[in-house]
Amino acid sequence: MPSTARTAARDAEANPAFRLAARAGYAANGILHLLIGGLVIAVGLGAQEDSDQTGAFRALAAAPLGAAALWALAIGLVALGGWHLLQAFAPRRLSVWRRLARVLAEVPQGLVFLAIGLVSASVALGARPRAEQAAEDLSQGVLTWPIGGAILGAVGLAVAGVGIGFVWMGLRRSFHSKMRTPDGPRGFALTALGVVGFVAKGIALIVVGVLVVTAAIRVEPDTAGGLDGAVAAVVALPLGPFLACLVGLGFLAYGVFTVFRARYARLDV
């Protein structure tokens, strides 16, 4: 990365307004997970809902002042995406390999948050996207390629790998390195929320990855999907509704943890 661009990234990272926007982004991400958690529990109890990001945005759009809330989420999520991109390029004194590892860790997160923020804005403008159908359509298109099955399988393995990473971060409590955990009962409660939330989100991503790999092996694009498909797969298991409610509670825990992370996150690099 050219030194002038890196300097600009560092200047933006040090800007108090941008730091405040990044904290707002953590809060927005937490609110989004609270909405998803509520939808997952509703599905576990028998409701017919889309339990993913687009389902959460559509539910919010139907609420009073929903459009304003969607714009607020969009701004926060885009700011958080920008923050992750800065985290990839702003740090000083990193070796080539550590910088590469940081880019590989932060850039995908930044792009995901940017994309989710744009989806929130599109719903505020009146669009009604369905992530599950979009994932199936994309999988169907990929499977028509000569090596589409291998590509789709690799994507599924990558998603499952991210899920394993979330579970590992939760069990190891490695999220402590990215935040200033308060002492006493408040810190204990925040840690417990983080452990439960990271593990639950990781399990959901692992299920998504397994579904995508299954679609690649069987050449069945309808099998592939996002979080909504993963929740449906869990519900179909023995004791599935109960398990889905547990996953939903885990998402609620992750949402509460992420809202508090808005205050305690380390924004130094």
Side-chain angles (χ1 to χ4, degrees):
M1 184 178 184
S3 59
T4 54
R6 187 171 297 155
T7 300
R10 291 168 183 163
D11 291 342
E13 183 271 334
N15 187 292
F18 196 82
R19 286 170 172 260
L20 180 61
R23 293 191 185 278
Y26 280 118
N29 189 36
I31 293 170
L32 176 59
H33 280 83
L34 290 173
L35 292 171
I36 292 173
L39 290 174
V40 172
I41 291 173
V43 171
L45 295 176
Q48 299 295 319
E49 301 285 351
D50 289 342
S51 52
D52 53 21
Q53 290 92 340
T54 56
F57 290 145
R58 292 198 306 274
L60 187 57
L65 300 177
L70 285 167
W71 279 115
L73 287 180
I75 293 170
L77 290 168
V78 168
L80 184 57
W83 177 260
H84 277 288
L85 293 178
L86 286 178
Q87 296 293 289
F89 301 111
R92 300 173 173 83
R93 296 183 296 275
L94 292 182
S95 66
V96 173
W97 292 110
R98 288 189 63 187
R99 184 170 295 281
L100 178 61
R102 194 171 189 111
V103 168
L104 292 176
E106 297 291 345
V107 169
Q109 292 186 74
L111 295 177
V112 166
F113 283 122
L114 287 174
I116 297 174
L118 292 176
V119 171
S120 180
S122 72
V123 175
L125 291 171
R128 294 295 180 266
R130 292 185 177 274
E132 188 72 12
Q133 186 61 50
E136 292 177 3
D137 292 343
L138 180 61
S139 298
Q140 185 173 10
V142 171
L143 287 173
T144 62
W145 301 348
I147 57 170
I151 294 174
L152 193 62
V155 170
L157 290 174
V159 172
V162 172
I164 293 171
F166 266 87
V167 173
W168 183 251
M169 289 173 65
L171 296 177
R172 291 292 303 271
R173 300 171 176 82
S174 57
F175 50 81
H176 280 308
S177 64
K178 297 184 178 295
M179 56 189 299
R180 297 179 177 85
T181 308
D183 297 326
R186 186 182 302 176
F188 176 82
L190 192 59
T191 297
L193 288 169
V195 171
V196 173
F198 271 86
V199 170
K201 183 169 182 178
I203 291 173
L205 289 173
I206 290 171
V207 175
V208 172
V210 170
L211 291 177
V212 174
V213 171
T214 301
I217 294 173
R218 296 181 178 177
V219 196
E220 296 176 351
D222 290 348
T223 305
L227 178 59
D228 188 56
V231 174
V234 170
V235 171
L237 296 173
L239 298 177
F242 173 73
L243 295 175
C245 289
L246 287 182
V247 172
L249 290 173
F251 271 94
L252 292 179
Y254 186 83
V256 174
F257 167 82
T258 307
V259 169
F260 278 102
R261 187 178 178 180
R263 175 179 177 183
Y264 296 111
R266 293 182 183 274
L267 297 184
D268 52 325
V269 294

